[in-house]
Amino acid sequence: MTQFYDARGNIYGVVSPQALRSEGNALPASATECASSRQSWSAAAIKLCCDWPEDQRPANSKSHRSDGLLIGPFQTSAPFDVLIVNTDGTLAERSGNGLTIFSQALTEQGLMPEEGALLRVHHDRGNAVETSVKPAVVEGVQGFWLDLGQPGFGPDAVAAQTVQGIEFNTRDVSHVHPLAQLDPDWAHSQFVRIGNPHCVTLLGDAAALPSNEQMRESPLNEGLTQIAYATPVGAGDPCPAGVNLQWAVLESPQRVLARVFERGEGPTASSGTSASAVASAAWRVGWVVAGEVQVVMPGGTAPILLEAADGELLRVRLFGTARLMG
């Protein structure tokens, strides 16, 4: 029923609405209705599709067999509606790796047009978030360009509260007190909205990058959960709706190292929108120029294309590939 795909170490299950209903999940007819009523069905869907069978969970693995669940399509022709369900049952507004995986699934089902399609992610935080996807081959690899649109910057873009202004590389950024309390090196952050909210903490030394192993351990895990997650799991500080956290350091021209702690998921091997937010933040503080930026995460390297003019970042595109797991 559920097929699992890998995109740069980010694993999502893909299931159709019809398959979920056939298993007794009372999923509403439309994606819009599903989003507004997610508390009545999402936990059961995650348990059904993403929990490890008791006799198959590997030692020291995450509590779920994937980083989330993609439910769709709700149509047989474009545009395609989809729900991105985090393993805690909440809905995400956008996931670069998730939408890459969904595009690959649509391709294998014979539904993806050659010219690409519009994907609409429905969630319970406002209007659906649209992403234009186009099949492409980059350096001999078949994948998809995702047009993520124009990012927004600063506390207002992500509805951040209780933050202070501070300078980094002569640019205005934010001081997020809960992050700086966890590590004094985490004192300079750039907020970015790219369909979903991000907080990119800018570092001068790669040694200050947290590892995924460190972020899974107490007490760091608890501290980051309080910052990244909305209430009641987290504190919703500085963002009441929660925020995705990244740490970034410039390794070489147009190449940035990054780590990711996702709202609703925790530490992840990679994230497409996080990589795009990191590239955007790096441009904002003068680390990189427009053009191709490589964002290196534990799960792989994401090619990002930045388009800018007259001192403004106009568009961000992400290239991704995905494979069906055996």
Side-chain angles (χ1 to χ4, degrees):
M1 181 185 73
T2 305
Q3 292 185 303
F4 292 91
Y5 291 79
D6 184 328
R8 297 190 195 94
N10 224 190
I11 297 170
Y12 278 86
V14 181
V15 65
S16 71
Q18 296 83 357
L20 275 179
R21 295 186 191 108
S22 71
E23 292 292 329
N25 192 299
L27 202 67
S30 73
T32 302
E33 293 172 305
C34 288
S36 63
S37 65
R38 67 94 180 163
Q39 292 186 345
S40 68
W41 59 263
S42 64
I46 289 294
K47 181 176 179 60
L48 176 67
C49 299
C50 300
D51 278 9
W52 286 103
E54 290 186 8
D55 59 343
Q56 294 182 23
R57 180 177 176 180
N60 302 319
S61 71
K62 297 175 69 172
S63 57
H64 296 88
R65 62 194 300 181
S66 67
D67 297 295
L69 182 66
L70 307 174
I71 301 176
F74 286 76
Q75 307 92 344
T76 56
S77 60
F80 296 107
D81 292 335
V82 61
L83 302 167
I84 304 174
V85 190
N86 297 318
T87 55
D88 67 352
T90 58
L91 302 182
E93 299 103 321
R94 181 180 262 170
S95 165
N97 288 339
L99 293 181
T100 298
I101 286 170
F102 188 61
S103 299
Q104 181 63 32
L106 289 172
T107 300
E108 293 175 5
Q109 295 169 28
L111 298 177
M112 176 64 74
E114 291 183 7
E115 67 274 15
L118 185 69
L119 307 182
R120 299 185 299 207
V121 179
H122 293 258
H123 57 93
D124 51 357
R125 297 184 179 95
N127 295 329
V129 175
E130 297 183 345
T131 303
S132 176
V133 175
K134 185 177 179 60
V137 177
V138 174
E139 296 183 355
V141 177
Q142 178 69 52
F144 307 90
W145 280 111
L146 278 62
D147 185 347
L148 303 181
Q150 184 175 26
F153 294 102
D156 290 346
V158 298
Q161 304 172 357
T162 66
V163 298
Q164 299 173 312
I166 193 172
E167 279 196 353
F168 181 86
N169 200 28
T170 73
R171 313 297 171 92
D172 292 334
V173 295
S174 296
H175 179 83
V176 181
H177 184 64
L179 279 170
Q181 276 191 311
L182 293 176
D183 190 321
D185 287 332
W186 300 351
H188 303 86
S189 300
Q190 175 67 66
F191 290 107
V192 184
R193 176 169 288 280
I194 191 155
N196 55 356
H198 299 270
C199 176
V200 183
T201 298
L202 305 149
L203 307 172
D205 187 346
L209 286 169
S211 69
N212 283 11
E213 291 73 19
Q214 289 172 328
M215 291 191 286
R216 292 191 184 102
E217 296 174 354
S218 300
L220 183 57
N221 183 271
E222 286 82 357
L224 294 175
T225 296
Q226 288 297 300
I227 298 167
Y229 284 55
T231 57
V233 177
D237 180 18
C239 300
V243 66
N244 300 292
L245 303 175
Q246 300 84 26
W247 294 261
V249 62
L250 183 65
E251 182 187 45
S252 58
Q254 302 297 103
R255 185 176 174 88
V256 184
L257 306 181
R259 299 291 184 271
V260 180
F261 188 99
E262 287 191 310
R263 171 188 64 174
E265 286 302 319
T268 59
S270 75
S271 162
T273 58
S274 288
S276 302
V278 165
S280 299
W283 177 89
R284 181 78 168 184
V285 300
W287 275 357
V288 302
V289 297
E292 184 171 336
V293 178
Q294 300 286 327
V295 177
V296 184
M297 300 164 288
T301 300
I304 311 292
L305 279 181
L306 303 179
E307 297 180 18
D310 300 324
E312 185 176 7
L313 190 56
L314 302 176
R315 189 174 301 278
V316 180
R317 289 185 171 90
L318 164 72
F319 181 75
T321 63
R323 64 176 182 86
L324 177 64
M325 300 175 67

